[in-house]
Amino acid sequence: MWVVRRFLSSVVQRGHYAGQPDFLLRPRHGSLPTDLEMRYLQCTCCWRSQVPVAGFETLNAALTSSSSLSSEPCKEEHSRSTLDTCYTSEQRDTILQLLNNATSAELAGVKLLRGRKSLNIVDYRTKHGPFKTLESVVNVPLLKHKSAVIVFNSILNPERKVRIQLAKFIRPEVDRSWLEDASSIVSIVCGTNKIAWAHVDRGMTLLEWQQMDCPNFLKGTYMASSYLNDVSSVVSVLPSADFYLIEKPSISVQNTALFPVMAHMRTVEAMLFALLEPRISPPEPNIPPRVLNMMRIAVGRHFDLIVGEARTSGAQVVRQLMTESVTQKFPRINFPQELLAKYRNYFQMGSRRGGEELCDALLQAVAFYELLSESSS
């Protein structure tokens, strides 16, 4: 496990991938848990480099469980038979109350329960009835004694999520009342060869979701006329909305190797601002800007996609949102049937369809509304 941690740390520090370690190509017996799913760290700047790594949720569970034994209320040699005796009756009631009544989305907020584990808990109690003892929880697939203890402790001592203030992720600053009154927004993300957007209304319904190829991006000497043709083609088909959110990438100016990508992003961003912002002469001081920047790093933090200083792919989160749209009465975002049918197999692991910009445009829109709601409460 120390090797895995060291590998992940080195990957995060580099930001992209140079070679595949042997333990990812040919896992040896006992070197990694058998339920690790192959995933990828995606380059946060150029989107071309992918780093194959194990699934973060499962890997985090394996690493955390091995490092947190000292904080467990019971020693490992006794935990298998005495889970219920490790806690007071009040603590047991608190844990069982949440496990027996929380939705899968609410369970996903508990440490180690993100992803499949939360769904397994709901499936298990639907088939077998409510949990009567803490020991019975380990019958849920993917939940063993060590991870169950971490889950129980997290329920009793939930981690406080630091809120991201509205003023910290939107530029230029806009009075919150204008944002709250908006009937819909268009979230726009620029890539190295395409632009994607998601049109979402105030009721969290996805109205439009698509991307367009831009063949002149990063070609030749960045001819302004060629760039303008591509960006204008996109702007001409964008739907009308109260605000347009353009992703602000977090590329360090000190990284000279990424300067061509940074210049490309800034060029497209400036053209989008110029073409989308209505020209009012003379300017009216009481009218807010219609085109805004949203910080990429804030969206990554909102969905827990930050590993070290790098942001990972949001494909799994988008797949989860699509699943919730058809399985939950009140999903985080509602997908029309035609968009579900169009993109249901678009974000599978290993897909070469290039859907990262689509993922990021959707996640940016969801994060905007959710962060706006949190800052209002």
Side-chain angles (χ1 to χ4, degrees):
M1 283 303 171
W2 181 85
V3 175
V4 175
R5 278 201 225 184
R6 183 176 181 182
F7 166 69
L8 285 176
S9 176
S10 64
V11 168
V12 168
Q13 292 172 2
R14 289 197 302 268
H16 55 82
Y17 184 55
Q20 236 183 13
D22 288 339
F23 74 86
L24 285 177
L25 290 172
R26 297 179 295 276
R28 292 173 295 182
H29 178 68
S31 60
L32 287 174
T34 58
D35 58 346
L36 289 184
E37 176 188 0
M38 293 302 294
R39 302 199 184 155
Y40 294 89
L41 278 174
Q42 189 109 21
C43 178
T44 186
C45 301
C46 68
W47 298 113
R48 291 172 179 167
S49 303
Q50 286 186 334
V51 185
V53 296
F56 288 111
E57 294 84 1
T58 310
L59 182 58
N60 183 60
L63 294 178
T64 307
S65 62
S66 63
S67 62
S68 61
L69 293 179
S70 60
S71 63
E72 294 177 11
C74 289
K75 295 182 179 179
E76 178 183 355
E77 58 267 25
H78 300 299
S79 62
R80 287 189 172 275
S81 58
T82 59
L83 276 178
D84 288 273
T85 61
C86 292
Y87 300 90
T88 66
S89 59
E90 292 81 6
Q91 290 175 328
R92 291 196 299 271
D93 291 342
T94 299
I95 296 170
L96 292 174
Q97 172 73 16
L98 187 139
L99 293 178
N100 286 327
N101 296 282
T103 65
S104 60
E106 293 169 337
L107 289 170
V110 178
K111 191 173 184 179
L112 298 192
L113 292 188
R114 173 172 299 177
R116 192 65 219 170
K117 291 188 182 70
S118 61
L119 297 176
N120 287 347
I121 289 177
V122 175
D123 292 342
Y124 185 87
R125 74 191 189 200
T126 300
K127 295 177 182 177
H128 303 280
F131 299 102
K132 292 182 170 50
T133 64
L134 299 185
E135 192 69 29
S136 64
V137 177
V138 299
N139 295 324
V140 175
L142 301 181
L143 269 179
K144 303 303 179 184
H145 280 75
K146 288 182 180 180
S147 55
V149 169
I150 296 174
V151 168
F152 299 159
N153 292 344
S154 179
I155 294 174
L156 295 173
N157 302 287
E159 296 180 353
R160 294 184 178 180
K161 186 175 181 179
V162 179
R163 287 187 175 182
I164 304 173
Q165 297 300 318
L166 190 69
K168 294 183 178 179
F169 72 86
I170 288 291
R171 292 290 185 274
E173 293 186 14
V174 178
D175 188 272
R176 193 175 65 196
S177 61
W178 287 98
L179 301 177
E180 292 174 343
D181 291 341
S183 59
S184 71
I185 61 167
V186 172
S187 169
I188 305 172
V189 171
C190 166
T192 56
N193 60 359
K194 58 176 65 70
I195 295 177
W197 63 93
H199 187 200
V200 181
D201 68 13
R202 195 68 183 87
M204 295 304 291
T205 296
L206 183 60
L207 305 176
E208 184 177 334
W209 191 26
Q210 60 177 297
Q211 64 184 8
M212 180 179 291
D213 291 332
C214 300
N216 294 305
F217 282 4
L218 287 174
K219 295 290 180 64
T221 56
Y222 292 39
M223 289 297 294
S225 59
S226 299
Y227 262 61
L228 185 58
N229 287 336
D230 283 349
V231 178
S232 297
S233 297
V234 172
V235 171
S236 66
V237 297
L238 288 178
S240 177
D242 293 293
F243 290 100
Y244 295 90
L245 302 179
I246 301 175
E247 181 187 70
K248 188 74 169 180
S250 51
I251 303 177
S252 173
V253 295
Q254 298 177 348
N255 191 339
T256 56
L258 294 177
F259 182 80
V261 177
M262 183 181 66
H264 157 73
M265 295 293 190
R266 295 294 183 263
T267 300
V268 177
E269 178 186 334
M271 289 185 174
L272 286 170
F273 265 84
L275 294 173
L276 288 171
E277 191 67 55
R279 294 173 177 81
I280 302 176
S281 183
E284 297 184 20
N286 295 327
I287 301 298
R290 190 171 68 163
V291 187
L292 306 171
N293 268 139
M294 187 161 180
M295 305 304 168
R296 174 177 173 80
I297 193 71
V299 179
R301 287 173 180 167
H302 182 71
F303 289 102
D304 294 327
L305 297 176
I306 303 297
V307 178
E309 297 180 358
R311 174 171 159 179
T312 61
S313 172
Q316 183 187 6
V317 178
V318 170
R319 292 198 301 269
Q320 179 68 22
L321 292 176
M322 296 173 77
T323 301
E324 292 176 359
S325 181
V326 295
T327 60
Q328 296 187 8
K329 185 177 181 180
F330 300 107
R332 293 171 76 174
I333 184 167
N334 299 288
F335 288 79
Q337 288 297 323
E338 60 271 18
L339 290 178
L340 283 174
K342 181 178 180 180
Y343 293 117
R344 61 183 178 182
N345 297 319
Y346 209 84
F347 309 109
Q348 299 301 319
M349 190 59 60
S351 173
R352 297 183 179 275
R353 296 178 179 177
E356 287 299 331
E357 290 83 3
L358 277 171
C359 287
D360 293 345
L362 178 67
L363 295 181
Q364 180 172 258
V366 175
F368 169 81
Y369 279 121
E370 291 182 346
L371 290 171
L372 180 63
S373 176
E374 288 180 7
S375 63
S376 301
S377 59

